[in-house]
Amino acid sequence: MRNREPMLKIEDLSTRFVVQEGVARAVDHLSYHVFEGETLGVVGESGCGKSVAALSILRLIPIPPGKITSGKILFMGQDLLQLPMKEMRKIRGAEISMVFQDPMTSFNPVFTIGYQLSKVFRLHQKLSKKEAMRRSEEILEACEIPSPERIMKEYPHQLSGGMRQRVMIAMALGCNPKVLIADEPTTALDVTIQAEILDLVLRLKKKFGMAMILITHDLGIIANSAQRVVVMYAGEKIEEADVFSLFEKPRHPYTVALLQSLPVLGRAKKFLNEIEGVVPPPFKKIPGCKFAERCPEAMEKCWQERPRLRAIEKGHSVACHL
Ligand code: SF4
């Protein structure tokens, strides 16, 4: 029976960046939550604010130019935004971990994998050097990495992209976190390796019993992985539903367009449907619906009035005037 209190809950989160063009509203009054053991998919094109929201959860936004201007980030009931940085560092990597798209940016190129991995255990679990090394080998093994002793002696650039990502996953899971944030974990990899890594992440998530926030631009990945989905556009949540309702009865024209851009097995198509236009720049002031410029259904009202998120069915909400 699932604990009814979410493990992690974002409430009315806004993150801004002061840029030359003005104030960029990267995340605009965003709310979502994830329960223990659940996978929440967060989907949208690049520049929709998915990753900025994830970095805000861990308070990894560079200040300045960035700033979290409103909201709460409740982890097991406590607001992370109110914690002193020292306390926040204890939570980061130990209670809430993140896997990034490009593992190269997470590793220090001048240290071996063994040194970097064991440092996590020495830092968070206060293990001795020897114990931390042993624990590192164990976690590499648990993440199905062959010859862990050899990998421990290698430098990040000596590993293939897929292996680096596996090691980063091992590093993220090392302290048995309660929440894993996976930000486009397979995007930078070869197509053949992508499915393998996604499958590994899902199996490990189950094995470790974590909650997971899976961030992706690809709804296809969400279909087989998440229980619930949040669709983001231009910093806002525009639709939320369980994965079946979203795929069967998408309500927001943007979600519909995302689904139409997916390849369908057995249906030959020369070109995939693309959503025309681009996400509006985050510093542009838009009084109405931010999707209006690209929306085939746009009406007069859409240009003037911002659609509010409203529930249309249990667990299914949408921000659209239609
Ligand atoms: Fe399209 Fe209007 Fe709905 Fe926006 S509010 S998605 S412009 S129909």
Side-chain angles (χ1 to χ4, degrees), residues 252-253 289 291-292 295 297-299 302 307 319-322:
H252 197 285
C289 172
F291 188 58
C295 181
E297 315 273 357
M299 317 165 270
C302 304
C320 175
H321 290 310
L322 270 185

Side-chain angles (χ1 to χ4, degrees), residues 115-239:
Y115 176 83
Q116 298 186 57
L117 195 49
S118 60
K119 210 171 163 200
V120 174
F121 297 111
R122 297 186 70 185
L123 208 73
H124 287 297
Q125 296 181 348
K126 307 282 177 247
L127 298 185
S128 69
K129 200 171 164 187
K130 203 170 155 199
E131 283 170 332
M133 282 300 208
R134 191 184 48 78
R135 184 79 188 95
S136 303
E137 265 187 51
E138 274 173 17
I139 192 72
L140 288 177
E141 218 167 326
C143 291
E144 300 168 18
I145 293 169
S147 333
E149 348 50 82
R150 181 179 58 79
I151 298 288
M152 296 268 287
K153 294 188 188 106
E154 309 239 57
Y155 289 87
H157 71 271
Q158 293 177 294
L159 307 180
S160 68
M163 191 54 76
R164 267 200 298 269
Q165 193 61 302
R166 277 173 187 262
V167 174
M168 188 157 79
I169 292 164
M171 201 183 250
L173 301 188
C175 295
N176 210 352
K178 297 194 170 63
V179 180
L180 178 71
I181 304 173
D183 188 2
E184 305 271 9
T186 61
T187 307
L189 302 171
D190 286 352
V191 179
T192 45
I193 311 289
Q194 284 186 2
E196 218 179 281
I197 295 289
L198 186 66
D199 184 54
L200 175 73
V201 171
L202 294 172
R203 273 184 292 119
L204 292 171
K205 186 219 144 230
K206 214 169 166 186
K207 182 168 161 186
F208 285 71
M210 299 169 290
M212 178 156 82
I213 298 173
L214 179 61
I215 298 170
T216 176
H217 63 281
D218 184 351
L219 260 176
I221 285 182
I222 296 287
N224 301 317
S225 327
Q227 283 84 56
R228 280 187 308 113
V229 190
V230 162
V231 183
M232 283 186 71
Y233 189 76
E236 294 177 7
K237 175 167 80 176
I238 50 108
E239 186 157 9

Side-chain angles (χ1 to χ4, degrees), residues 25-190:
R25 292 166 181 76
V27 176
D28 214 1
H29 300 286
L30 176 70
S31 298
Y32 64 62
H33 60 269
V34 62
F35 288 104
E36 184 184 347
E38 183 189 44
T39 299
L40 173 76
V42 178
V43 75
E45 291 161 287
S46 311
C48 279
K50 315 177 297 283
S51 300
V52 176
L55 293 171
S56 303
I57 293 174
L58 289 169
R59 291 177 58 192
L60 288 173
I61 296 293
I63 305 171
K67 193 176 180 192
I68 296 174
T69 54
S70 78
K72 284 181 183 172
I73 296 168
L74 299 166
F75 172 61
M76 298 172 78
Q78 85 177 324
D79 187 1
L80 298 184
L81 294 181
Q82 301 304 323
L83 287 185
M85 252 327 171
K86 200 174 153 209
E87 293 303 309
M88 190 61 217
R89 276 189 212 108
K90 287 185 195 161
I91 288 186
R92 224 185 261 153
E95 306 272 8
I96 307 174
S97 270
M98 189 157 172
V99 172
F100 296 91
Q101 182 182 130
D102 180 5
M104 248 346 227
T105 55
S106 307
F107 289 119
N108 188 327
V110 302
F111 294 117
T112 61
I113 295 296
Y115 176 83
Q116 298 186 57
L117 195 49
S118 60
K119 210 171 163 200
V120 174
F121 297 111
R122 297 186 70 185
L123 208 73
H124 287 297
Q125 296 181 348
K126 307 282 177 247
L127 298 185
S128 69
K129 200 171 164 187
K130 203 170 155 199
E131 283 170 332
M133 282 300 208
R134 191 184 48 78
R135 184 79 188 95
S136 303
E137 265 187 51
E138 274 173 17
I139 192 72
L140 288 177
E141 218 167 326
C143 291
E144 300 168 18
I145 293 169
S147 333
E149 348 50 82
R150 181 179 58 79
I151 298 288
M152 296 268 287
K153 294 188 188 106
E154 309 239 57
Y155 289 87
H157 71 271
Q158 293 177 294
L159 307 180
S160 68
M163 191 54 76
R164 267 200 298 269
Q165 193 61 302
R166 277 173 187 262
V167 174
M168 188 157 79
I169 292 164
M171 201 183 250
L173 301 188
C175 295
N176 210 352
K178 297 194 170 63
V179 180
L180 178 71
I181 304 173
D183 188 2
E184 305 271 9
T186 61
T187 307
L189 302 171
D190 286 352

Side-chain angles (χ1 to χ4, degrees), residues 274-292:
E274 262 193 23
I275 310 174
E276 278 185 27
V278 289
V279 181
F283 47 82
K284 191 174 171 185
K285 286 201 174 117
I286 300 170
C289 172
K290 290 183 181 174
F291 188 58

